[in-house]
Amino acid sequence: MTETTTRPGICRICSAHCGVLATVVDGRLTKVTGDPDNPMFKGYTCSKGRALPEIHNNPSRLLHSQKRQPDGTYAPIDAEQATDEIADRLKHLIETYGPRSVALYLGTNGLPYPPSPLTANAFMRAIESPMFFTANTIDQPGKQIALALHGHWLGGDVPFNEADTWMLVGTNPLVSKSIGIPGQNPGQSLRAAIARGMNLIVIDPRRSQTAARAAIHIQPRPGEDVAIVAGIINFIIRENLCDTGFLTENVVGFEELAAAVSPFSPEYVSERADIPVQQLIDAAHLFATHGSRGGMVNAGTGANFSAHGTLLEYLCLCLTTICGRWQRAGERVLRPNTLMPAYTAKAQAHPPYEGWGYGEQLRVRGLTDTVAGLPTAALADEILLEGEGQVRALICVGGNPMAAWPDQRKTYRAMESLDLLVTLDTEMSLTSRLADYVIAPMMQMETPAMTQGSELIKYYAGGTGIPAAYAQYAPRLIDPPEGADLVEEWKFFLGLAKRMNLQMFFVNFFGGGGGRFMESAPVVVTMDKNTNLTTEELFVEMCANSRIPLDDVASHPHGRIFDIDAVVQERDPDCTARLDIGNPRMLTELTEVLAEDFHTARSDTAYPLRLISRRHGSFMNSSGTGLAKLNGGKPYNPAYMHPNALNALGLQSGDLVTVTSPHDYIPAIAEADDSLRHDVIAMHHAFGGLPSEDDEVRERGSNVGRLVPTAIEYDPISGLPRQSNIPVNVTARTVEEVDNLA
């Protein structure tokens, strides 16, 4: 007899953590929909969430761990035996070369499993290796570094659903659900905001889904976001539209900022960014003056990828601050915490703090640890560079470096040169195909879930996190497939610790800046090497100081917005802290931007186009690109170009082309898209095969990261290379080249 159940759960594909309903038939996940009884999401979920049954039941899913054989093939291996062998090899490497020879990379697919990042970090600290890297520093590390330089406003963010204006730079939150517009049903939030009169300003070279809803869409040449934001700041200062009261009481550096942005006149910015003068003036005036409740400024991945990401994020904070766009005393606290500890929001600044230059010193490019983490773009060099401190072993958790890291050929050489490569992966991804061991983990609905991680994301940047006192807990909804040998990621690290006789503990931080900004005291969880903790019990420890007890949250299976009456308190009488909008390092970089020869750059006939990044609505990075449910019969990432640009090259949609940057080239499939400027092409990242698999471009797509060098144009603080606004040339493939790809 068929057994069917439908229960509430949490989708954890991205940080939004949507509340969903999961239908299970005879132990198999068959359907996922939005949960209409969830008070935060109200029935919303995206195509990725609805495809969870296909993701869980993917025929390519690994149900057993794999070990690479001498001939390069893979064979199943018992997970316990694999852990034995990995522990032995790690001990040998540490004894021979020291703890720094072992590195760990945590990708964005660690999100579904709250203890995974914490125990991975705890393991690295237990072996005394500082080489812990994350996807954060190949995405938007400038956010946290800029916050360190600017300081935090302890009253918190302005609510999106109350703001009269909002500005978004190089981000498309209707697809990414990442920043600015609340990720909990962003389409509904934006529709409601526009209906009540909010004016959205979007700066983006593409007329994205979000830009199409904007009151003003500035569509500049890529890479000019810094100039545009500096120009808006200059106009607001020049026209005396600043919040002078807020500046006097809470801010330093105003004169220095005003002097630094003064050359960025509307006329200069118009010429440089190729935008109408009046449009810039209108955007600045609208943002500074419209309505009684102004909103904030948020930049996204596209803008951060385009060089000067830290400076851009700093200027966005400066623009927010000169307009006084922070919550004040007596106003409600937007994110009061539920599964995190309670805290007291105050109408005052937390002063700037050290953003980089401490901790581990990398051996390349003068890079150091930062508040955003170690520079991941330098990890391939740390593997390839011989000598003391060389990385010889890499453990990848929830990440796929061969698809996601810049300079794919260098990354390939690095992966191949390792003495030991271990991945925790649900399928044989590009990186797993090079690994010595692939540990097969459980998947989302096979593990318990809670929304603490979605709350924690607020420390990443303003405009992120859950904009309410909301929380949800969901138990395991299905068992692993019969006969499978799967492990929970955090238990893999505990297993290594037991075998290597290590004592582990992790610190659940409730703050940002690598612990340099703390909103409330952290929770320290000690994990005895002989522990038999379950994940459910570990959740309880992680939430030991939560405002709302985990048991209370769990008693509301559809999630709940709790009745918390938290308001911003008055400034402490003895508080002397100030936000800093005149940081010398950032303003010096702004002067360097001003000195750039943009005329020469735009007249480069060898590389006349600029390639920008673009979010895909159906995929979270490289995950799921092979699933028909998600790719709709298009498993590749097109090279989107304006129809006029295609016509000028004698191309049509579907034609094979070569995209060439000063660093490398990739094959691609052209596709017309009139949402782009004529001098821009756009491609999704994290597609493609290994460097030798260009002939599979129609089946796998193209790896944009191959076009990006890591050691030529990069942020000197975070190491982030320019991964958008890439100068490229697009040419038709010759008959011979097409034949070779066939």
Side-chain angles (χ1 to χ4, degrees):
M1 184 175 180
T2 299
E3 180 181 357
T4 301
T5 61
T6 299
R7 294 188 290 169
I10 302 172
C11 172
R12 289 159 276 167
I13 286 177
C14 77
S15 61
H17 282 37
C18 297
V20 298
L21 292 178
T23 299
V24 178
V25 178
D26 291 339
R28 181 182 175 90
L29 185 66
T30 61
K31 186 177 182 180
V32 169
T33 62
D35 181 359
D37 294 321
N38 185 291
M40 177 61 68
F41 295 92
K42 301 175 182 177
Y44 170 79
T45 188
C46 73
S47 60
K48 297 185 287 290
R50 293 190 294 274
L52 275 170
E54 285 74 20
I55 294 171
H56 264 266
N57 303 319
N58 184 356
S60 299
R61 180 187 177 183
L62 292 177
L63 300 180
H64 300 271
S65 297
Q66 303 290 309
K67 179 181 179 180
R68 192 173 191 174
Q69 304 302 300
D71 63 357
T73 61
Y74 287 84
I77 182 173
D78 178 82
E80 292 293 319
Q81 182 183 343
T83 309
D84 288 341
E85 295 180 12
I86 293 167
D88 287 342
R89 293 181 66 172
L90 288 173
K91 284 192 291 185
H92 171 73
L93 289 170
I94 292 169
E95 290 167 359
T96 306
Y97 302 107
R100 196 187 191 276
S101 66
V102 179
L104 187 142
Y105 172 68
L106 176 69
T108 50
N109 275 345
L111 283 172
Y113 316 103
S116 179
L118 297 169
T119 49
N121 183 266
F123 173 76
M124 294 300 287
R125 286 186 285 105
I127 64 172
E128 300 183 345
S129 172
M131 305 299 278
F132 182 82
F133 297 80
T134 75
N136 192 30
T137 51
I138 53 169
D139 191 344
Q140 301 175 68
K143 282 183 162 46
Q144 290 159 292
I145 297 169
L147 267 172
L149 301 179
H150 172 268
H152 296 252
W153 182 249
L154 299 181
D157 296 352
V158 169
F160 182 86
N161 65 357
E162 297 176 6
D164 296 312
T165 56
W166 208 276
M167 186 180 295
L168 299 173
V169 186
T171 185
N172 184 16
L174 289 186
V175 172
S176 64
K177 293 177 281 297
S178 58
I179 192 166
I181 303 172
Q184 296 72 29
N185 200 337
Q188 183 186 74
S189 294
L190 183 56
R191 284 192 299 272
I194 292 173
R196 62 176 170 74
M198 190 191 83
N199 283 284
L200 181 67
I201 302 164
V202 174
I203 302 167
D204 197 320
R206 173 176 170 253
R207 192 180 67 254
S208 67
Q209 293 90 329
T210 305
R213 306 295 302 277
I216 296 178
H217 173 209
I218 297 176
Q219 194 167 9
R221 286 179 58 84
E224 298 298 346
D225 305 299
V226 163
I228 293 169
V229 176
I232 291 172
I233 293 173
N234 179 41
F235 179 86
I236 290 172
I237 292 175
R238 191 183 71 188
E239 297 297 314
N240 297 315
L241 300 177
C242 298
D243 187 330
T244 54
F246 184 82
L247 290 171
T248 300
E249 293 182 6
N250 302 290
V251 179
V252 296
F254 177 77
E255 292 78 12
E256 292 84 351
L257 175 67
V261 300
S262 62
F264 290 86
S265 66
E267 294 75 19
Y268 170 80
V269 175
S270 169
E271 180 186 10
R272 177 166 181 154
D274 190 26
I275 59 175
V277 172
Q278 193 60 46
Q279 191 181 44
L280 180 79
I281 293 172
D282 290 346
H285 195 269
L286 179 67
F287 182 77
T289 65
H290 179 69
S292 60
R293 184 62 159 146
M296 304 179 73
V297 189
N298 301 119
T301 300
N304 276 264
F305 271 11
S306 297
H308 304 294
T310 302
L311 173 60
L312 173 65
E313 291 290 350
Y314 184 73
L315 291 177
C316 288
L317 288 168
C318 291
L319 176 53
T320 297
T321 293
I322 66 170
C323 294
R325 302 296 172 73
W326 303 103
Q327 288 292 76
R328 309 298 180 85
E331 295 177 335
R332 71 181 182 91
V333 177
L334 180 60
R335 299 181 176 91
N337 294 356
T338 46
L339 286 174
M340 296 196 301
Y343 68 97
T344 301
K346 298 180 181 180
Q348 65 188 54
H350 181 288
Y353 48 88
E354 191 176 34
W356 72 93
Y358 51 81
E360 184 63 19
Q361 309 290 304
L362 297 188
R363 299 180 300 153
V364 296
R365 300 193 280 287
L367 297 169
T368 70
D369 203 354
T370 75
V371 293
L374 284 170
T376 294
L379 182 48
D381 296 284
E382 288 285 349
I383 295 168
L384 292 169
L385 181 61
E386 297 181 356
E388 185 177 353
Q390 181 179 8
V391 171
R392 297 173 179 272
L394 177 64
I395 303 172
C396 291
V397 188
N400 187 5
M402 284 305 305
W405 288 6
D407 202 336
Q408 191 196 39
R409 293 190 201 273
K410 180 192 285 186
T411 301
Y412 181 78
R413 295 195 303 273
M415 297 298 116
E416 286 280 79
S417 70
L418 286 163
D419 292 349
L420 177 64
L421 175 57
V422 178
T423 63
L424 283 74
D425 211 329
T426 58
E427 60 182 5
M428 295 300 288
S429 65
L430 294 187
T431 308
S432 292
R433 289 167 55 195
L434 305 176
D436 297 288
Y437 296 89
V438 184
I439 303 300
M442 293 184 187
M443 294 185 73
Q444 285 194 35
M445 298 298 176
E446 296 159 358
T447 64
M450 63 172 174
T451 54
Q452 188 187 74
S454 192
E455 286 186 56
L456 279 164
I457 202 75
K458 75 174 186 178
Y459 299 120
Y460 177 54
T464 59
I466 303 175
Y470 166 82
Q472 185 180 7
Y473 170 86
R476 304 169 194 263
L477 297 182
I478 55 174
D479 293 325
E482 186 175 355
D485 178 24
L486 306 175
V487 298
E488 293 186 73
E489 291 177 350
W490 75 271
K491 289 191 174 182
F492 168 73
F493 290 104
L494 180 61
L496 289 178
K498 289 179 178 180
R499 290 161 173 84
M500 298 171 71
N501 198 31
L502 302 171
Q503 184 74 41
M504 291 201 309
F505 72 93
F506 65 74
V507 181
N508 205 11
F509 283 111
F510 303 110
R516 285 163 176 77
F517 164 68
M518 297 299 296
E519 198 171 60
S520 49
V523 171
V524 179
V525 178
T526 300
M527 305 183 70
D528 185 272
K529 60 191 175 186
N530 297 315
T531 186
N532 290 311
L533 272 178
T534 64
T535 305
E536 290 82 353
E537 291 167 338
L538 188 54
F539 277 15
V540 172
E541 295 203 29
M542 291 170 62
C543 298
N545 296 339
S546 62
R547 180 191 288 270
I548 306 296
L550 184 61
D551 285 348
D552 193 352
V553 172
S555 70
H556 302 278
H558 296 274
R560 184 180 181 187
I561 298 175
F562 290 87
D563 186 14
I564 296 174
D565 184 21
V567 297
V568 179
Q569 301 300 302
E570 295 285 349
R571 174 198 194 101
D572 290 336
D574 59 348
C575 177
T576 60
R578 297 290 187 271
L579 302 175
D580 184 3
I581 60 174
N583 179 268
R585 175 69 178 261
M586 292 292 98
L587 299 189
T588 297
E589 186 175 339
L590 182 58
T591 302
E592 294 168 356
V593 170
L594 186 67
E596 292 173 352
D597 185 356
F598 64 88
H599 291 291
T600 299
R602 72 175 53 175
S603 61
D604 185 353
T605 56
Y607 302 101
L609 301 173
R610 290 295 180 269
L611 172 60
I612 64 172
S613 57
R614 176 170 172 170
R615 289 281 186 180
H616 199 300
S618 296
F619 307 117
M620 181 66 171
N621 300 329
S622 65
S623 299
T625 55
L627 292 177
K629 170 83 172 182
L630 288 172
N631 66 40
K634 188 187 292 182
Y636 57 87
N637 52 333
Y640 297 102
M641 301 177 66
H642 193 278
N644 292 345
L646 281 178
N647 292 337
L649 294 172
L651 296 170
Q652 301 179 50
S653 290
D655 284 352
L656 279 167
V657 298
T658 298
V659 181
T660 306
S661 76
H663 181 66
D664 208 329
Y665 70 91
I666 55 173
I669 300 167
E671 184 166 318
D673 182 354
D674 65 4
S675 72
L676 293 164
R677 289 173 53 108
H678 71 279
D679 53 358
V680 169
I681 81 169
M683 295 184 72
H684 309 293
H685 279 244
F687 278 72
L690 296 173
S692 61
E693 296 174 335
D694 283 357
D695 59 333
E696 299 181 19
V697 62
R698 292 195 185 276
E699 292 75 32
R700 294 180 176 273
S702 317
N703 187 278
V704 177
R706 195 187 302 174
L707 301 173
V708 178
T710 57
I712 297 177
E713 290 184 279
Y714 59 91
D715 187 295
I717 299 171
S718 69
L720 179 70
R722 185 162 78 171
Q723 299 182 99
S724 190
N725 183 33
I726 305 167
V728 297
N729 189 26
V730 176
T731 55
R733 286 244 157 190
T734 65
V735 174
E736 292 79 10
E737 288 173 320
V738 172
D739 288 343
N740 288 337
L741 286 180

